Every structure is written in structure tokens, then in C-alpha cells.
Amino acid sequence: MADRIPEEKIDQIRQALDIVEVVSDYVGLKKQGRNYFGLCPFHGENTPSFSVSSDKQIFHCFGCGAGGNVFSFIMDIEGISFQEAVVKLAERANIELEMNVTSNLGEKKASKEIQAAKDAHELLRKFYHHLLVNTKEGQHALEYLLERGFTKESIDKFQIGYSLNSWDFVVKFLAKRDFSPEWMEKAGLIIKREKDGTYFDRFRDRIMFPIFDRHGQTIAFSGRSLGADEPKYLNSPETAIFNKSKILYNFHLAKPNIKKLQHAVLFEGFADCIAADRAGVENGIATMGTSLTDEHIAILRQNVHSITICYDSDNAGIEAAFRAGNLLDDAGFQVKVAIMPDGFDPDEYIKTFGPEKFRKDVIDASYTWMGFKFLYFRRGKNLQNEGDRLSYIEQIIKEISKLTKVVEKDHYLRQLATEFSLSLDSLKQQEKQIYFTKKRKEKSNATKNRKPLYIQNQASELKPAYYTAERRLIAHMLKNRDTAYKIQELLQGNTFNIDEHQAIITYLLGYYEDHLEPNVSAFLSYLQDDNLRKMVATIEMMPINDELNEQELHDYIKQVLNHKKMLKIKEKELELKEAERTDFKKAISILEEIKQLRNSL
């Protein structure tokens, strides 16, 4: 059983970390006023509504209502328990917990098998790298890399290694260290022979490129043959710890530069990514032999808004760039496309023309997304042919009609008019026709497919006066301990009308019994209910006066108590109707009660 983490340790961890820095690892944030804003990682959006307060050490999304402190953020974003979040943040803050907190972290803790897979990959990554750079057995592989433009710095940075030309070295190497062969087969490191059930090494006599997850842990390998052996690249199979659709190569190393530049360069494979890094493009990432996926886009959305696609110049590369660009554009990214000269991939271009020319003539000379479409749609067309030319112009106008900015539309329509000596007015007219036809069609389809559905929008719904009054009272109670006790006294034993509001102040008064100073971030850890945490984060983000004057305080209390009286009046009015039919004296008595209640409002 895991030990309970003392509250003092939790406070120490919270005070040692800035929530803005922690959240910035997952969300691209920009400072606006006193707070930081970005795209919410918990729901899809194109306009930033996710706010982080450094002063209050809390986060809140005005769109979906998510909110809390640094612990609840890690819990929500990583899908882990509170205790796991504390352990993770303690490691980040270099705080020793000095207790058994890892022995029972719940159902989501990695199993022994998964942990063994991770440990084996880490061990082999170090061993393969050692073989390459420090041994006679790896000398020929090292010379092979150096001849092809790799530097020792790059080899160290990417932890490139070499696997021995042996059928069973890794099998024995791992077995000696008590790694289960069955588990290692599932991890993709060794293969089982069907005929006799023995095992052999998956990677033999290959240059080894370790694949890391977003946290820098080794989870797979790609082995390149040194000669003509096929396949040229032999990759780890997908396993419990390695899923290609969720991995962006070099993300863990490129992330600081991506954050700094607010820009990423997307390559098709890790070889291009490594070559670009040698050329000074240190914000490069790559997909692992798969098309861009929703999972990749989700990772990118948390970190950057501007992306340059740099794929191969062959037909397959151009098509892949078009698909990726459409996905990124739909997701709200600012997209550019770097066009490679015919017959070159980034690695070959850098070897031929050098790093500076690659940065200047390829990356820095990238086309806008619309500019790339001009090139993409003219492929395979003979623009001297009238039919091809008209087809191309119509396709480009359709693409221009998708643009949201009037200036962009005008710019590209003028470009089209100039290239083909066409009337700008006629192009604008056709673009408007295409645009409005599309809108009418979308509206018609939406009406056709519409289902009766009521969605309550809490943000825009007009709340009654007592509801707002209760929230403002809670906001002031969160800021001042004395105010909290004063409000409790003025309520004269009455409770708030909203059950959740009453629960919050009950917990808050309990918190103040042990804590002399208000601290909303600490109070959020004190709360056990997730919904109450979100509600407190929402209330804490409300704009209120720094000081609560007597008039304002009594007005709020009156709104709370008056609602209770109004409910009592309605109850008495029902009793009155019944009494009027059966008991005249009782009716007069009830009427007097109603009168007194109305006078007290």
C-alpha cells in the first residue's frame, strides 16, 4: 500500500513550481494583461479561451469550464491520479518525497511488463551507442556515418548506435539481466522462431536510430542497413509503448526551440530531421513512416500555431504534403510548404548544397499554403491548352473562396488575373458566386441534418440575482478569511440556495480552521470533488472589487436571503389557496404571514 503524501509536501511542491511553466509544456501560451492565454487542450477550439493565472496559480477554460491548480492540470492532461500527479511534479521540482509512493499508484500505473519494455529499450540504446562510438566492432559503422555527413556531435545528440552482427547477442544480453524473453518479444526487441520456440535478435549489423517519446524515453528503434541488405530501414513493430500515429520524432529535443520560435518544421522521416538539425534547423520534427494523424495534430496544437511542411519533391512527397497541409489548415495552423528541387530530399540537398543554402533557399523561401496550392493544382496540366487552363483557374478560384481574409483573397485573385491576363472584376464575381453557392449548400445540408437538440450555454445564460450574489460572496471568501467568517455570521444559520455553492463554503470554512492564510491553489487540492474544483476555478477568475464594502456585502446577503423568502411566499400561497376552500380563519392567518414576508424583502 502506498503511503499518504503529507500536506506539507504537497504545499512544498506547489510553492516550488509556477503553473505557467508547467502548463507551457503542454499548451502554447501568450501573455495578455496579467494572465496567459492559449488553445484549450481539453476541447477543440480555434480561438484561445484557456487562461492561466500566475498570481493565483490556477487555470480555467472559459469555453469548456475546465479548471484547477497545477496538480489537477497534470491529472487531467495525463489522465493520472492525484498521487501520480504529485510524484510527477515532485520529480520536476527536485523534491524528495522520502516515502513509498510508487508501490500502488492505481490501475493506470504502467505494468511490470511495460516498465520492463521501457527499461530494456533504455539499456539497449546506451549499449548500441557505446558500441558505435567506443568499440572496434562499431568502427566500420561509425566511419560509414561520418562519410555520409554525420558529425560526432549529431551522433551523440540523437544517440545513434550500432547493433552487432549476431543472431543472439541481445537475447543473451537481456536474459542475463533477468528480462523475460516473452516480454522482450512483445516489446519488439527479439523474435521467436516458430519451428523450435527459440529467440533471435531483431536487429543485426545495423546502424541504430533510437525513437523517443515526447518525454525523452526510448520506446523503439529503426535500424539502417550498412550495405545493400533489405529492407534498407528495419523498424520496431508497434507495441504497448510504441504507436507510430502518436509519435513525432525529435519532439523531446525540438520542443524548447519550437516554443521559442513558435514555429515547427515537419519532415517525412527521421533521417531528414537529423540532417536538418545538422544544418541548424533545430525545430524540426518528423512522422514515423506514417501520414499525419489526429494524435500528431493534438500534440502540435498544444505547442505551436505555425508549421512549415518540408517533404520530398517526388510525386508521393507532394501528395503527402498536400494531405498534411489540409489537415493542419483545417485545425487552424498557419501553414507553409518548403519546396525541394526535383530529385532531392532534405538530407540529399544538404549534402549537395550545404546547410546555409538549405536554410535560406528552402526553409526561409517556403510558400504560403495558398501559394503551394497554385503549384499543386497545375501539376500534370498543360496551361497552353484552353481546357486545362480553364479547369486550373476554376480550381484555384474555389480554393481562394475558402480564405477568410479579404486582403488574402484580393492578393491571390490579382495574382491569377495578372498571370492569365484576366479581368480582376470577373474573377471577383466568380469567387463570390462560388463562395455563396457553397454557403447555401452548407446551410441546406445543416437544416436537412439538424436534430432537435437543446444545448445549455452556461456562459451566456442569464443567471438570477441570488446566483450571482452567491458566487461573488464565495469569490470574496476565497480572498479573505475574516470575510468568510463574517459572511457566515450574516447568513444567520441560513444556507446558500445552490447546493454546490453551499458545499464550497462548507469546505472553505473547514479549510480555514487549519489554514490562517487564503490560498486558492492550496484550497483546490483540499477539495476532493472534481466539479467543485472547476467551479471554484471559474469563480476565482471572476472580476470583483479588491475590497468588499458594507453596502455591497449586505446587498449580496439580502439577495441570497430574499430568494429563500420568495420560495417561502410561494409555498404559503399554495397553502392559502387550499385554506380558502376549507378554513377561512387559517386563510387569514396565512395571508398575514405572506404580508410579513413581503414586507421583509
Side-chain angles (χ1 to χ4, degrees):
M1 180 69 70
D3 297 334
R4 186 177 181 276
I5 303 172
E7 189 177 337
E8 302 80 57
K9 280 290 180 183
I10 294 171
D11 287 340
Q12 186 184 352
I13 294 164
R14 185 177 52 251
Q15 291 167 18
L17 297 171
D18 183 355
I19 191 172
V20 173
E21 292 181 6
V22 175
V23 173
S24 291
D25 284 349
Y26 301 85
V27 181
L29 297 175
K30 288 185 179 179
K31 191 170 186 182
Q32 294 179 21
R34 299 183 68 171
N35 294 341
Y36 294 79
F37 286 85
L39 296 174
C40 180
F42 304 115
H43 80 288
E45 63 176 8
N46 292 323
T47 304
S49 63
F50 182 83
S51 175
V52 184
S53 170
S54 183
D55 296 340
K56 301 170 183 176
Q57 288 296 298
I58 63 173
F59 73 93
H60 175 65
C61 176
F62 296 95
C64 69
N69 60 8
V70 68
F71 297 109
S72 48
F73 177 81
I74 292 297
M75 288 165 64
D76 292 343
I77 199 79
E78 297 279 359
I80 58 180
S81 69
F82 175 73
Q83 194 176 45
E84 288 175 290
V86 172
V87 173
K88 188 178 183 74
L89 291 170
E91 289 175 359
R92 182 187 179 108
N94 292 319
I95 292 174
E96 181 61 52
L97 292 175
E98 299 172 353
M99 56 190 303
N100 178 23
V101 294
T102 58
S103 60
N104 180 23
L105 295 179
E107 293 180 4
K108 292 190 177 180
K109 177 169 172 54
S111 69
K112 287 183 179 179
E113 185 175 333
I114 289 175
Q115 190 58 51
K118 290 180 179 179
D119 292 344
H121 275 86
E122 280 291 304
L123 181 64
L124 284 176
R125 187 258 304 166
K126 294 174 183 175
F127 180 69
Y128 287 147
H129 183 65
H130 169 74
L131 281 175
L132 178 70
V133 299
N134 296 318
T135 69
K136 284 184 188 179
E137 291 88 343
Q139 186 64 32
H140 67 296
L142 181 61
E143 290 172 359
Y144 179 91
L145 286 170
L146 295 174
E147 285 171 7
R148 278 154 181 76
F150 282 79
T151 63
K152 288 187 177 180
E153 291 77 15
S154 186
I155 289 168
D156 285 339
K157 180 174 183 177
F158 292 95
Q159 286 291 286
I160 301 168
Y162 170 69
S163 60
L164 291 169
N165 189 12
S166 167
W167 283 94
D168 60 359
F169 183 86
V170 168
V171 172
K172 293 175 179 176
F173 180 79
L174 293 174
K176 283 180 182 177
R177 286 156 181 80
D178 296 325
F179 286 99
S180 161
E182 291 83 5
W183 289 3
M184 294 304 97
E185 183 203 6
K186 288 182 183 179
L189 295 172
I190 60 178
I191 300 172
K192 188 175 184 178
R193 292 185 178 93
E194 290 186 13
K195 60 180 182 180
D196 59 7
T198 58
Y199 297 91
F200 63 95
D201 296 359
R202 178 178 295 276
F203 301 102
R204 302 178 304 280
D205 192 29
R206 287 178 177 267
I207 292 170
M208 301 299 289
F209 295 90
I211 311 302
F212 301 91
D213 65 14
R214 61 191 296 177
H215 306 297
Q217 290 186 307
T218 313
I219 54 172
F221 291 100
S222 181
R224 191 198 191 286
S225 65
L226 285 158
D229 292 349
E230 292 295 333
K232 182 178 178 182
Y233 285 99
L234 177 63
N235 299 321
S236 293
E238 294 212 341
T239 65
I241 63 172
F242 174 52
N243 186 325
K244 289 186 290 186
S245 66
K246 297 179 180 179
I247 296 299
L248 288 168
Y249 182 78
N250 194 45
F251 182 79
H252 69 297
L253 292 177
K255 188 175 179 179
N257 289 294
I258 288 173
K259 290 279 191 182
K260 179 181 176 182
L261 300 171
Q262 273 301 298
H263 184 77
V265 182
L266 180 65
F267 296 97
E268 272 190 288
F270 64 83
D272 293 335
C273 192
I274 294 172
D277 184 85
R278 294 202 306 270
V281 181
E282 295 183 295
N283 57 333
I285 50 177
T287 51
M288 290 301 305
T290 182
S291 299
L292 198 67
T293 65
D294 291 340
E295 288 91 345
H296 293 144
I297 289 174
I299 294 168
L300 292 169
R301 277 175 63 94
Q302 294 171 8
N303 294 278
V304 73
H305 305 305
S306 174
I307 295 176
T308 294
I309 300 168
C310 186
Y311 285 3
D312 292 354
S313 60
D314 58 13
N315 190 59
I318 295 294
E319 290 293 344
F322 184 69
R323 288 194 300 272
N326 276 321
L327 289 171
L328 292 168
D329 185 55
D330 289 343
F333 289 93
Q334 181 185 341
V335 182
K336 288 187 172 184
V337 182
I339 302 294
M340 301 296 305
D342 287 343
F344 285 95
D345 61 26
D347 189 17
E348 292 164 341
Y349 186 94
I350 293 166
K351 288 174 188 171
T352 306
F353 300 106
E356 188 176 348
K357 196 167 178 63
F358 176 72
R359 292 195 306 270
K360 183 179 177 183
D361 294 352
V362 177
I363 300 299
D364 293 345
S366 300
Y367 286 78
T368 63
W369 178 230
M370 190 64 224
F372 172 72
K373 287 182 181 180
F374 271 79
L375 299 176
Y376 177 81
F377 285 110
R378 71 198 304 155
R379 288 160 59 251
K381 289 186 174 67
N382 177 9
L383 297 184
Q384 301 305 312
N385 176 281
E386 185 178 4
D388 279 6
R389 186 165 64 251
L390 289 173
S391 172
Y392 169 73
I393 291 168
E394 184 174 357
Q395 181 64 63
I396 290 299
I397 295 174
K398 281 182 182 177
E399 295 300 321
I400 292 173
S401 73
K402 297 176 185 177
L403 297 173
T404 56
K405 295 179 181 176
V406 176
V407 173
E408 278 189 289
K409 285 186 177 184
D410 185 74
H411 171 77
Y412 291 114
L413 287 171
R414 286 179 186 276
Q415 186 174 317
L416 200 61
T418 301
E419 183 178 359
F420 294 101
S421 301
L422 297 170
S423 161
L424 180 61
D425 289 339
S426 66
L427 291 178
K428 285 184 175 180
Q429 187 176 349
Q430 186 167 346
E431 184 275 322
K432 286 180 181 177
Q433 286 177 353
I434 291 171
Y435 175 80
F436 287 115
T437 299
K438 181 186 171 191
K439 285 295 177 186
R440 281 195 296 272
K441 188 175 180 181
E442 288 174 353
K443 188 175 180 181
S444 173
N445 289 338
T447 304
K448 211 177 292 181
N449 299 326
R450 187 182 298 154
K451 295 178 182 177
L453 180 67
Y454 174 69
I455 300 175
Q456 184 179 22
N457 187 339
Q458 292 185 345
S460 61
E461 183 185 354
L462 186 62
K463 299 294 185 182
Y466 70 86
Y467 180 95
T468 304
E470 289 181 0
R471 291 214 158 193
R472 291 192 177 279
L473 287 171
I474 292 171
H476 284 289
M477 293 173 83
L478 288 167
K479 293 182 184 299
N480 190 294
R481 186 171 182 266
D482 292 337
T483 300
Y485 286 121
K486 185 174 183 179
I487 289 170
Q488 182 192 28
E489 184 182 335
L490 289 171
L491 285 170
Q492 299 175 346
N494 290 289
T495 60
F496 277 175
N497 298 284
I498 306 297
D499 290 342
E500 291 85 352
H501 293 172
Q502 182 59 38
I504 289 170
I505 66 167
T506 301
Y507 277 116
L508 183 60
L509 292 169
Y511 173 82
Y512 279 145
E513 287 180 12
D514 300 320
H515 302 80
L516 296 177
E517 294 298 324
N519 185 321
V520 69
S521 181
F523 178 56
L524 286 169
S525 293
Y526 181 84
L527 281 172
Q528 298 301 307
D529 187 275
D530 217 23
N531 289 327
L532 294 184
R533 282 197 194 108
K534 292 176 182 178
M535 198 172 284
V536 168
T538 303
I539 292 170
E540 181 62 15
M541 286 295 192
M542 288 172 56
I544 60 170
N545 297 329
D546 290 336
E547 296 293 331
L548 178 62
N549 62 52
E550 288 295 317
Q551 183 61 51
E552 188 180 3
L553 171 60
H554 284 91
D555 285 345
Y556 291 150
I557 294 291
K558 187 175 181 181
Q559 292 287 357
V560 174
L561 298 180
N562 277 357
H563 181 66
K564 292 186 175 297
K565 291 175 183 177
M566 288 301 299
L567 292 176
K568 189 69 175 175
I569 288 170
K570 287 180 181 178
E571 182 186 320
K572 289 294 178 182
E573 285 175 341
L574 290 174
E575 289 181 22
L576 177 63
K577 286 182 181 179
E578 180 65 27
E580 285 175 339
R581 289 196 299 270
T582 59
D583 189 337
F584 184 70
K585 285 186 178 180
K586 185 178 180 182
I588 292 174
S589 175
I590 293 171
L591 193 61
E592 184 61 30
E593 285 184 63
I594 292 173
K595 185 178 178 182
Q596 288 176 4
L597 285 169
R598 289 191 185 281
N599 289 337
S600 69
L601 291 175

